[in-house]
Amino acid sequence: MKRKIKILDKMVKSNSILVGLSLLVLIFFIAFLSNWFSFQNFLVESRFYQEYLNFLNKQSLDIFVIILIPVIGATFDLIFRDKNVDGRDKALIYMGFFVIVFMILIYPKVLMGTIDYQYKDVLLLGISFHIDMLSYTVLLISSFVWFYVIVYAHEYMKHELHSTRFFFFLALTYSSVLGTMMSGDLLTMFLFFEIMTIASYTLVIHGQNDESYKAGYNYIIMGLIGGFLILTAILLLYFNLGDLSFESAISELSQMGSIKYWIIGLIIFGFGIKAGMAPVHVWLPRAHPVAPTPASALLSGVMIKVGAFGIIRVVTSYYFPDSSSIDHSLWLTSKNIGYVIIWSGIITMVMGMILALQQANIKKLLAYSSISQMGYILMGIGIGLYLGYEGAMGYTGAIYHIINHALFKSLLFMVAGVVYYHTHELNMYKLGGIWKKLPVTTIIFVIGMLGVIGMPLFNGYISKTILHHGIVEAYQHGSQIFILAEILFIITSIGTVAYLVKMFYYVFIKDNQKEYKDLTFDFSSLDLALISMSLIIILIGLNPNFILKQFILPQLNNLAYSSHFIETYIQPLNVFKFYDIIMALMIIFVGSVAFLIGKKFSLLSLHFPKWLSIEYLFFYPAYLLMKNLCKIIYGHKCPYNEEEFIKLSDDDLNNVGFIDRFVITVNVLNRRYEQSLIYADAFIYVFVLSGVFIYFFFYYIL
């Protein structure tokens, strides 16, 4: 007799209604944009729609409503606390749903370009907000992902301590993410970006054990370093341009010599830290395994996209010509920057893939996979810059992959969380046979996996195909060196198949002596979230032109890309050509064979020596260099510390992490002057401030 499936979670009914409504709203939105059954024509011509447009144009609170909705949810979280867990979680889930609805409702105003607010008296320099189609696209996908993760978190966090604190900071992080994406200038973006870093720190250290604190320490220090780099770029931009608004400044920047490259370098590394770009990715594989799964899903699905979004926003504003400009010489700076970004993306994708293949921990594998997939996005951004007026294919692929990766990677992390929820095990070699107990979870993992590896009719295939077209164009219309980039692109895609098939086999298929007799499938809010996101992945895969025409083409038309190129190659783009399908299927076949070979000869369990890590390879020689430099300059008075050197020579990254090595290295020269610098602080501040006042006095006198 078959056991009846139980409804494990008493909030499943209310959550099912909200999740169903979210999908209904999405279908309604698609029907409107696609003009199904002349629905758009009927609605636009109605009196109600015209009155609604008038209402939208008259009010200017939309930005604040979007930012405040999660804050209101955080307030309810504190009110209910652990006394009424269901009431607390309902408040947050409803707030997530309201954000989705509000995003849909402001779409007409986004099209009109009227969401543009400036508050010049705030913080002296002023702050501003702007929603164009780029920010709207990222906001919309983030709102859906965040909503489903909150639904998922309701059930998952029941067995975690301090869940009220977790949900409170989750809501604050969401608010800051929304603010970052709606920023109209670099200063406003920086402020919300830093709030996001600080608020999300508590999500990483939620476990409150040594491993969590170490990961959190790496996360917050790396995040603050990224913020400092961005702040330095802000100062350079402001004192050279006098304006931080996201508008074209390439005419001025192109005349500024090497400083224009320093500015963009600081920006790319500042946002690149959050995006998981190599070599500043080191926080990410440490944070994911220790953070609760809902936090991991959002770190990978949304927050690292904020880093990519920051890079895209800066390069397409400051470093792009105005859309009305026809001066081809202005693209020279962008082309040089694009060249570097392409190779940064290639290095990131290859390195992430290689490290993912070596992992036994399923969350760490997915973390390195996220690093690799961010490499694809960076490569697309680089192509969009490198090819100048004809770089639209790279830009299209990057934006499309941001959308797709947000969906399938957050989904896979949530699947990993379901496995851990039932087995309390993350080591894939100790798992196996899960498909017998969790068939729905297994099917959903396959959907997410097929999205990542680029199986035709799934979402990842579309963006990877477009990115492949972009890199081909880079060597056809640019340098032949990018043939190597295409080869590495294909190898990385093969490796991606191999490590995900590896995870699928060892977690779900492989026979296991453990029969998991106590493991039973009962429907809960976990499954609601997984099923919903799976449906969206399939929907995008079956209808690739919807996102392209409704969200990406409007962005391209507002940028300085060639309208002829867009009309000739982007608008009629068909990703289901025979060659593209065969290429994708061949990559999947070769990747699967590579897994079987690796499994047969035990290659998948091999690991690089620990001394090959970036932390060891960089900081150990750097310390030796600084120690010898210190001895040359100061002789026997050099404050060299033998104990710290022994600590630094340890190649085990679990004992001495990235930030520890950084601190030990810079302390070689810093320690000698530490005391005198403390005494000199007051004099320095007085001297600098006096100089500033004298400068402004003579400036205004003259």
Side-chain angles (χ1 to χ4, degrees):
M1 182 177 178
K2 291 185 177 180
R3 189 185 72 88
K4 291 183 178 180
I5 295 176
K6 297 179 181 179
I7 303 297
L8 182 65
D9 178 6
K10 63 182 179 181
M11 268 182 61
V12 164
K13 184 178 289 186
S14 63
N15 285 346
S16 298
I17 294 172
L18 278 179
V19 168
L21 284 174
S22 71
L23 294 173
L24 191 62
V25 167
L26 179 60
I27 293 171
F28 175 87
F29 190 49
I30 294 172
F32 172 77
L33 295 180
S34 304
N35 200 22
W36 290 351
F37 309 108
S38 301
F39 177 57
Q40 187 183 78
N41 295 339
F42 168 77
L43 194 59
V44 169
E45 293 171 3
S46 67
R47 181 180 176 183
F48 167 78
Y49 188 79
Q50 298 303 320
E51 291 179 353
Y52 176 65
L53 288 182
N54 292 333
F55 167 76
L56 281 180
N57 287 326
K58 288 178 181 178
Q59 61 86 27
S60 59
L61 297 175
D62 31 32
I63 293 288
F64 298 104
V65 171
I66 293 171
I67 293 173
L68 286 175
I69 287 175
V71 176
I72 294 171
T75 304
F76 278 110
D77 178 77
L78 292 180
I79 293 173
F80 287 115
R81 300 180 68 83
D82 295 332
K83 300 175 185 176
N84 185 353
V85 172
D86 288 346
R88 177 199 67 191
D89 294 355
K90 275 184 180 179
L92 290 166
I93 292 169
Y94 274 104
M95 293 304 163
F97 178 72
F98 289 155
V99 172
I100 290 177
V101 173
F102 204 84
M103 288 296 173
I104 301 294
L105 291 176
I106 65 170
Y107 178 78
K109 197 170 181 179
V110 174
L111 280 184
M112 292 184 287
T114 54
I115 305 184
D116 192 351
Y117 308 122
Q118 297 183 5
Y119 304 93
K120 296 181 179 180
D121 296 330
V122 179
L123 300 176
L124 297 178
L125 297 179
I127 61 173
S128 61
F129 297 94
H130 177 71
I131 302 181
D132 58 7
M133 194 53 72
L134 168 61
S135 52
Y136 183 78
T137 302
V138 184
L139 283 166
L140 187 65
I141 192 65
S142 298
S143 65
F144 275 95
V145 170
W146 210 285
F147 170 68
Y148 294 131
V149 171
I150 294 175
V151 171
Y152 173 96
H154 160 70
E155 174 63 28
Y156 188 91
M157 295 303 294
K158 280 183 177 178
H159 305 288
E160 295 276 346
L161 298 174
H162 311 296
S163 57
T164 297
R165 181 189 65 196
F166 176 84
F167 282 114
F168 175 77
F169 283 102
L170 190 71
L172 292 185
T173 302
Y174 189 22
S175 180
S176 57
V177 166
L178 296 173
T180 304
M181 294 174 179
M182 294 187 294
S183 299
D185 63 83
L186 192 54
L187 176 62
T188 308
M189 178 178 280
F190 167 75
L191 293 174
F192 280 102
F193 189 78
E194 289 300 281
I195 295 171
M196 179 189 72
T197 298
I198 295 168
S200 57
Y201 165 71
T202 59
L203 306 180
V204 176
I205 65 166
H206 181 80
Q208 291 185 236
N209 52 47
D210 289 342
E211 197 174 356
S212 298
Y213 285 129
K214 283 183 179 179
Y217 180 58
N218 276 274
Y219 176 76
I220 192 66
I221 296 298
M222 290 296 291
L224 293 176
I225 290 172
F228 175 76
L229 296 176
I230 297 169
L231 180 60
T232 306
I234 288 173
L235 295 173
L236 290 173
L237 273 170
Y238 184 75
F239 286 114
N240 284 280
L241 298 178
D243 187 17
L244 296 173
S245 300
F246 287 132
E247 297 176 355
S248 178
I250 191 62
S251 297
E252 295 84 357
L253 286 167
S254 61
Q255 307 298 320
M256 288 167 52
S258 62
I259 194 170
K260 60 179 177 285
Y261 296 118
W262 280 104
I263 292 171
I264 194 61
L266 291 166
I267 291 289
I268 290 172
F269 272 95
F271 285 117
I273 288 174
K274 191 66 68 185
M277 180 185 76
V280 288
H281 66 283
V282 292
W283 66 268
L284 205 150
R286 288 171 173 77
H288 278 300
V290 301
T293 296
S296 295
L298 293 174
L299 278 169
S300 182
V302 177
M303 279 185 270
I304 63 174
K305 306 303 182 303
V306 176
F309 172 80
I311 295 172
I312 293 173
R313 176 61 83 193
V314 169
V315 298
T316 57
S317 52
Y318 300 137
Y319 286 84
F320 256 44
D322 188 86
S323 57
S324 61
S325 173
I326 57 172
D327 188 354
H328 290 260
S329 64
L330 294 176
W331 282 102
L332 181 60
T333 299
S334 301
K335 183 175 182 178
N336 294 335
I337 295 168
Y339 185 91
V340 174
I341 295 178
I342 289 173
W343 285 111
S344 296
I346 294 292
I347 292 168
T348 300
M349 71 165 72
V350 172
M351 189 199 68
M353 176 271 294
I354 292 172
L355 292 171
L357 278 168
Q358 302 176 46
Q359 303 308 312
N361 184 300
I362 56 178
K363 288 182 74 176
K364 189 170 278 192
L365 181 148
L366 292 175
Y368 280 115
S369 174
S370 291
I371 293 169
S372 181
Q373 296 302 308
M374 290 307 296
Y376 285 87
I377 294 169
L378 288 168
M379 185 194 75
I381 297 170
I383 295 168
L385 285 164
Y386 177 74
L387 291 178
Y389 283 108
E390 297 183 341
M393 192 70 74
Y395 180 94
T396 300
I399 299 298
Y400 219 132
H401 207 59
I402 284 175
I403 296 168
N404 289 337
H405 185 260
L407 289 166
F408 56 57
K409 192 50 62 68
S410 53
L411 177 68
L412 290 179
F413 267 109
M414 288 195 286
V415 169
V418 171
V419 171
Y420 180 76
Y421 180 86
H422 289 289
T423 65
H424 300 288
E425 182 61 68
L426 289 174
N427 188 327
M428 69 176 72
Y429 299 126
K430 296 180 181 179
L431 292 164
I434 298 295
W435 73 271
K436 299 175 184 177
K437 297 292 185 175
L438 299 174
V440 174
T441 305
T442 305
I443 293 170
I444 288 169
F445 177 85
V446 171
I447 292 171
M449 177 183 72
L450 294 178
V452 180
I453 66 178
M455 172 66 76
L457 302 182
F458 291 83
N459 65 343
Y461 166 77
I462 304 162
S463 52
K464 287 193 172 184
T465 299
I466 296 172
L467 286 167
H468 183 241
H469 288 182
I471 198 63
V472 169
E473 289 176 0
Y475 71 70
Q476 287 179 343
H477 304 293
S479 173
Q480 292 294 306
I481 190 66
F482 290 118
I483 294 176
L484 175 60
E486 185 194 12
I487 294 171
L488 293 173
F489 177 95
I490 293 171
I491 292 173
T492 302
S493 299
I494 291 170
T496 301
V497 176
Y499 67 66
L500 283 173
V501 172
K502 169 190 170 182
M503 180 175 171
F504 176 61
Y505 173 77
Y506 283 107
V507 174
F508 296 98
I509 303 301
K510 178 180 70 74
D511 289 333
N512 194 335
Q513 293 180 350
K514 296 180 182 178
E515 296 183 3
Y516 304 109
K517 293 181 180 179
D518 297 331
L519 199 167
T520 56
F521 172 69
D522 292 308
F523 195 76
S524 70
S525 294
L526 301 173
D527 304 292
L528 272 177
L530 297 178
I531 292 170
S532 302
M533 294 187 69
S534 301
L535 291 175
I536 296 176
I537 287 173
I538 295 172
L539 185 64
I540 293 174
L542 295 175
N543 188 17
N545 288 330
F546 174 75
I547 288 176
L548 181 65
K549 292 182 178 179
Q550 303 298 336
F551 296 101
I552 298 179
L553 277 174
Q555 298 176 40
L556 296 176
N557 291 328
N558 287 328
L559 294 171
Y561 289 125
S562 165
S563 58
H564 173 73
F565 184 91
I566 294 170
E567 292 168 2
T568 306
Y569 298 103
I570 305 297
Q571 285 184 359
L573 184 64
N574 177 17
V575 295
F576 293 118
K577 290 181 178 179
F578 180 77
Y579 171 80
D580 293 324
I581 293 173
I582 292 299
M583 171 69 78
L585 294 177
M586 284 297 297
I587 286 172
I588 293 170
F589 173 76
V590 175
S592 301
V593 171
F595 161 73
L596 293 175
I597 294 172
K599 175 178 173 293
K600 181 176 179 62
F601 295 101
S602 301
L603 300 176
L604 298 175
S605 58
L606 296 177
H607 292 81
F608 287 143
K610 291 179 179 179
W611 56 264
L612 270 179
S613 68
I614 290 175
E615 293 95 324
Y616 187 86
L617 286 176
F618 177 79
F619 286 113
Y620 188 74
Y623 188 91
L624 288 175
L625 176 65
M626 295 187 75
K627 182 192 76 171
N628 290 317
L629 180 64
C630 185
K631 284 186 174 181
I632 291 171
I633 297 173
Y634 304 113
H636 67 281
K637 294 183 179 180
C638 176
Y640 165 62
N641 190 320
E642 184 67 33
E643 291 182 3
E644 288 190 345
F645 181 70
I646 294 172
K647 191 176 181 182
L648 194 67
S649 64
D650 187 349
D651 61 8
D652 191 343
L653 303 181
N654 294 321
N655 295 332
V656 189
F658 178 89
I659 300 301
D660 297 316
R661 295 172 189 270
F662 175 78
V663 172
I664 291 170
T665 303
V666 298
N667 266 349
V668 173
L669 295 178
N670 179 60
R671 190 181 294 106
R672 176 177 176 84
Y673 292 106
E674 189 172 358
Q675 194 69 27
S676 58
L677 281 174
I678 293 172
Y679 289 129
D681 276 348
F683 171 78
I684 293 172
Y685 292 143
V686 171
F687 179 82
V688 171
L689 288 173
S690 299
V692 171
F693 282 123
I694 292 170
Y695 170 81
F696 278 107
F697 175 79
F698 283 104
Y699 178 84
Y700 284 111
I701 290 294
L702 296 174

